Amino acid sequence: LCSPELENILLRLESGGKTAVALAKDKAIVGVMGITDPLRSDSKDAVARLRLLGVDHIVLLTGDNHGTAKALAQEVSLNEIQAELLPEQKLSLINSLKQQHGIVAMVGDGVNDAPALAAADIGIAMGGAGSDTALETADVVLMKDDLSKLPYAIELGKKTALTIKQNIAIALTTKAIFLVLGVFGLTSLWLAILADDGATLVVILNSLRLLRSK
């Protein structure tokens, strides 16, 4: 059993964002260590950019203790924390978040994250540090262990979707115009072919603009 003094030490470490580890000898506590991973330097910027892109609810799901999770959430301004979770609990929470908020993306890199990655609408694995199970389960793999790539991937995805819609509109509009002109005999076959090829070139050039995304 822990003494009140030891309990205070453990709580102080956990509230400071550290995982407390007690060292015992002959069933007696002889020391306590506080272990923590340093916060990624790009974490705050990545969260801020995600919010600018319209991601308004960001949740931390972790197997670590509540004190550590709370300290991290305060530092990077997260909306919600769920701590001391087992893999099946992460899975359950992902399903719950989908019911509450609609489309849910899950970012993870460990074996424990694999079920939640599979359940999310979009599973994103961090390739640099990710386990093989997480990489195989995820829909998207960020090859660099860099959180700044996450908002970039979302922004690029939005630009790609918009470009696809523009290209479809250009192609259909061109065909519709020349179909009407053809019905009234106001165009010729070679002009229709030229317009179709021209629309194809416009679509290609419009798509090439995505190469400028950084």
Side-chain angles (χ1 to χ4, degrees):
L1 296 177
C2 295
S3 65
E5 182 183 2
L6 180 57
E7 286 283 359
N8 290 333
I9 294 174
L10 296 177
L11 289 173
R12 187 168 66 250
L13 289 172
E14 291 179 358
S15 62
K18 299 179 177 62
T19 299
V21 178
L23 305 178
K25 181 179 180 181
D26 297 328
K27 297 184 180 181
I29 303 297
V30 296
V32 179
M33 294 189 301
I35 302 173
T36 184
D37 289 325
L39 184 67
R40 293 172 182 265
S41 58
D42 54 357
S43 297
K44 292 182 180 180
D45 180 62
V47 170
R49 288 177 60 192
L50 286 173
R51 295 196 185 282
L52 289 175
L53 291 171
V55 183
D56 57 2
H57 195 82
I58 303 176
V59 184
L60 172 64
L61 305 180
T62 178
D64 216 329
N65 62 72
H66 285 280
T68 301
K70 185 177 180 180
L72 177 62
Q74 290 175 343
E75 194 164 354
V76 295
S77 301
L78 303 181
N79 297 92
E80 181 183 345
I81 59 170
Q82 297 289 343
E84 300 180 10
L85 299 176
L86 297 174
E88 58 268 24
Q89 292 174 313
K90 290 183 180 181
L91 172 60
S92 176
L93 284 167
I94 287 294
N95 290 328
S96 176
L97 288 169
K98 289 170 67 175
Q99 293 178 356
Q100 296 175 33
H101 302 282
I103 297 176
V104 172
M106 166 72 182
V107 183
D109 59 9
V111 174
N112 292 340
D113 296 325
L117 287 170
D121 295 292
I122 305 172
I124 304 172
M126 303 298 291
S131 66
D132 291 340
T133 304
L135 299 181
E136 292 174 3
T137 305
D139 302 297
V140 178
V141 176
L142 302 180
M143 299 310 296
K144 290 187 177 181
D145 192 20
D146 182 358
L147 284 176
S148 66
K149 300 300 181 183
L150 180 57
Y152 166 74
I154 294 175
E155 185 174 10
L156 180 60
K158 288 187 174 184
K159 289 182 178 179
T160 302
L162 177 60
T163 300
I164 291 172
K165 292 176 182 178
Q166 291 172 344
N167 290 343
I168 292 173
I170 291 169
L172 292 179
T173 300
T174 303
K175 293 181 184 299
I177 290 172
F178 276 84
L179 176 62
V180 173
L181 292 175
V183 169
F184 290 98
L186 300 176
T187 187
S188 61
L189 178 62
W190 70 268
L191 280 177
I193 294 173
L194 183 62
D196 188 63
D197 290 341
T200 301
L201 289 175
V202 171
V203 165
I204 292 172
L205 292 173
N206 189 43
S207 300
L208 288 174
R209 293 188 305 115
L210 293 171
L211 295 175
R212 299 166 57 186
S213 298
K214 296 182 180 179

